[in-house]
Amino acid sequence: MTDLLRTPLYGLHLELGGKMVPFTGYDMPVQFAGIMAEHQHTREKAGLFDVSHMGQVILRAESYQAVAGAFERLVPMNVLGLGEGRQRYGLFTNEQGGVLDDLMFANRGDHLFVVVNAACKEADIARMRAALEPDISVTYIEDRALLALQGPAAVDVLAAINPAAGEMKFMDVATLDLNGAQCWVSRSGYTGEDGYEISVPADQAVDLARALLAHDDVMPIGLGARDSLRLEAGLCLYGHDMDEDTLPAEAGLVWAIQKARRAGGEREGGFPGAQAVLEQIASGAARKRVGLRPEGRAPMREGVELFATSEGGEAIGKITSGGFGPTVGGPVAMGYVPVDLAKADTTVFGELRGKRMPLSVTSLPFVAANFKR
Amino acid sequence: MKYTEEHEWLLPEGDLIVVGITAHAAEQLGDVVFVELPEVGTEVTKDEDVVVIESVKAASDILAPLDGEIVEVNEALTENPGLVNEDATGGGWFFKMKVSDAAPMDDYMDEAAYNKFIG
């Protein structure tokens, strides 16, 4: 086994009593006080997450427009039309239209700032270098940590450190002085709550984390609650709820593909797999990602096979994320089913320990988003 | 009280044996959100899966510690599975069983041995 990597906050995690587990090559805290308590605290007040394992990348050329135009060759998003100081959710696609990773990208004036998943970062960086260099410089930012401060109290906590944070709207980005550190801040996250993601120089990350944790409303949160929060928010986890065999439309991510890149748009297509992606948007997918509520109390987790009937028949799909939703107060799951079974309130069956148990198809999210638009 | 290497505790109560999991095991599992109990009257053999515990993290099986019959289950866990975390060796019990031969219980650890086992 190779040695696990450590984020700049590793020592602080140990000091705070974090239970450490290997995750995408990093030694990361899965929990501190307990997943249930951490989850609820984030929904009610604010939680601090270490997401430094994610990949931070800067793309630069003579102008934002030059970078954005080139980046549009890799993603089906409107990058050129993204205003300065704004961020968008994006997807890398392959030649078949499958999703290679999901990401956040921001127009930071003279450059594009990209955050990709930890598990995919090497491949993403290699792909960007191959496609964009030498015209565009691709720089992997290894000397900064990434923190997420999430929850309804996040705004007051961060605005107390720098009032400018309170002025930001959902998906705004800005460079802010926080606790003496020059931070790249976005008002976003992946919990369904209002909050911020904060890129901070590695050597100032622990001090900033301590300053945030000093606030009574802030508690450290591990990967366990991060997963249950994003599941309740109906957000996809790459490699689970979508992968290279999943097209954006079936994953319910058409909203992320702006009109400019769709059929009839001013820059229609022009990204890998455009034909397949646009065709599926036009003709509709055969299967869809849906929310699922097990009718009993037993959680149904990733990999559970789904059936149309309580007995017999072939599997019609499977659960891609599932567990207990602390805010919902019961089990929740997401998975893929054929479109004719994708309507809300349809009953499907999951096979759990040899028994078929009913689940009801529900609209996502399970817990309404609390963003400050 | 006796303890198994599977982190179960066994407490004789009259001619029955009450079974649950230890506080140490409950802590390792994390917040318990669902417990699937056997049906009363089920005949079980030692090491057979009898209970499924789902925590926020994962599912785990609990094995029958002895041969016997399940004569009572803790219905309170259906409504409040968190009892396993709050009171593992009390209100968080799983089932009571009637055994034909209690002698194998002597092979299980006492408290001192169990504490050493979890070190």
Side-chain angles (χ1 to χ4, degrees):
Chain A
M1 197 175 127
T2 52
D3 287 342
L4 291 171
L5 299 168
R6 293 173 176 182
T7 75
L9 298 181
Y10 176 79
L12 182 61
H13 296 323
L14 296 186
E15 184 186 313
L16 295 170
K19 185 185 263 184
M20 307 301 284
V21 297
F23 184 77
T24 65
Y26 286 80
D27 204 0
M28 297 295 284
V30 66
Q31 68 170 60
F32 295 91
I35 294 174
M36 201 93 91
E38 292 168 32
H39 178 112
Q40 270 146 357
H41 188 88
T42 304
R43 289 256 185 264
E44 285 158 20
K45 293 181 174 162
L48 182 68
F49 304 71
D50 178 14
V51 287
S52 305
H53 55 310
M54 296 181 79
Q56 305 181 59
V57 183
I58 282 180
L59 305 184
R60 202 183 277 276
E62 69 271 17
S63 67
Y64 175 78
Q65 293 301 302
V67 179
F71 196 63
E72 284 198 358
R73 300 203 305 264
L74 296 175
V75 298
M77 280 72 220
N78 182 352
V79 190
L80 280 163
L82 180 64
E84 184 171 342
R86 295 286 296 162
Q87 175 176 272
R88 262 185 188 144
Y89 175 75
L91 307 165
F92 287 118
T93 49
N94 64 21
E95 291 301 327
Q96 290 72 45
V99 179
L100 289 168
D101 195 7
D102 61 348
L103 60 135
M104 289 288 188
F105 60 93
N107 175 349
R108 293 194 20 96
D110 60 347
H111 67 272
L112 187 71
F113 178 55
V114 178
V115 178
V116 299
N117 280 306
C120 304
K121 67 184 176 185
E122 276 180 44
D124 288 339
I125 292 165
R127 186 177 328 107
M128 288 190 277
R129 288 196 199 287
L132 304 174
E133 285 180 343
D135 298 348
I136 314 286
S137 70
V138 176
T139 310
Y140 176 31
I141 307 298
E142 294 186 82
D143 57 359
R144 297 180 83 93
L146 192 64
L147 308 181
L149 182 68
Q150 300 280 293
V155 55
D156 290 337
V157 172
L158 210 59
I161 295 177
N162 186 332
E167 305 298 310
M168 297 171 71
K169 293 202 164 46
F170 182 60
M171 289 295 213
D172 276 355
V173 297
T175 299
L176 298 182
D177 183 307
L178 296 177
N179 202 46
Q182 286 296 107
C183 297
W184 307 339
V185 180
S186 71
R187 191 154 188 179
S188 66
Y190 218 61
T191 59
E193 295 299 322
D194 181 29
Y196 300 86
E197 292 202 345
I198 306 164
S199 172
V200 52
D203 57 4
Q204 292 168 293
V206 170
D207 284 348
L208 177 59
R210 283 190 200 282
L212 296 169
L213 289 167
H215 199 290
D216 284 346
D217 285 347
V218 182
M219 187 165 142
I221 312 293
L223 294 171
R226 181 170 167 81
D227 193 50
S228 56
L229 288 159
R230 72 93 204 157
L231 173 57
E232 281 187 340
L235 299 168
C236 284
L237 178 61
Y238 188 75
H240 301 261
D241 304 302
M242 59 180 168
D243 56 25
E244 55 193 57
D245 298 319
T246 314
L247 274 67
E250 57 197 355
L253 298 173
V254 174
W255 59 269
I257 303 177
Q258 288 78 26
K259 282 206 175 72
R261 308 301 305 279
R262 293 194 208 170
E266 60 262 36
R267 294 187 309 286
E268 172 182 337
F271 54 87
Q275 198 187 336
V277 168
L278 298 182
E279 198 177 286
Q280 195 181 69
I281 294 174
S283 61
R287 57 170 195 156
K288 284 204 99 164
R289 177 174 62 96
V290 294
L292 297 162
R293 288 283 324 258
E295 286 174 16
R297 287 171 156 263
M300 292 199 218
R301 301 178 195 272
E302 182 179 3
V304 167
E305 291 202 304
L306 299 172
F307 297 83
T309 52
S310 60
E311 277 174 53
E314 300 279 305
I316 50 145
K318 65 180 179 186
I319 289 177
T320 52
S321 278
F324 184 82
T327 305
V328 170
V332 289
M334 297 196 291
Y336 284 81
V337 296
V339 277
D340 59 321
L341 296 174
K343 267 226 297 281
D345 299 327
T346 306
T347 299
V348 295
F349 297 84
E351 198 161 282
L352 195 63
R353 299 183 273 275
K355 275 186 279 186
R356 297 230 182 135
M357 312 286 279
L359 306 96
S360 115
V361 173
T362 55
S363 57
L364 292 169
F366 297 104
V367 174
N370 188 22
F371 303 139
K372 292 290 175 283
R373 300 204 190 258
Chain B
M1 200 177 267
K2 290 284 198 171
Y3 301 85
T4 75
E5 290 191 1
E6 304 289 331
H7 305 282
E8 286 159 84
W9 54 261
L10 287 73
L11 181 69
E13 186 186 277
D15 60 346
L16 303 180
I17 292 174
V18 191
V19 179
I21 58 165
T22 66
H24 170 78
E27 179 172 352
Q28 294 296 312
L29 286 173
D31 303 302
V32 173
V33 296
F34 173 74
V35 181
E36 187 177 285
L37 297 163
E39 275 177 40
V40 169
T42 311
E43 294 281 344
V44 296
T45 41
K46 185 174 181 292
D47 295 339
E48 177 185 336
D49 296 342
V50 279
V51 173
V52 179
I53 310 179
E54 296 261 6
S55 75
V56 282
K57 284 184 245 167
S60 324
D61 293 315
I62 298 300
L63 312 179
L66 301 163
D67 294 347
E69 182 193 346
I70 305 293
V71 293
E72 194 180 337
V73 296
N74 186 0
E75 301 286 358
L77 295 181
T78 310
E79 277 307 306
N80 187 8
L83 280 173
V84 177
N85 299 106
E86 289 157 26
D87 191 13
T89 48
W93 64 278
F94 292 147
F95 56 85
K96 297 180 186 179
M97 62 191 299
K98 188 189 268 174
V99 298
S100 41
D101 178 12
M105 242 183 97
D106 297 338
D107 299 338
Y108 287 129
M109 294 175 272
D110 60 15
E111 189 172 351
Y114 179 71
N115 285 336
K116 205 170 161 192
F117 175 69
I118 61 176

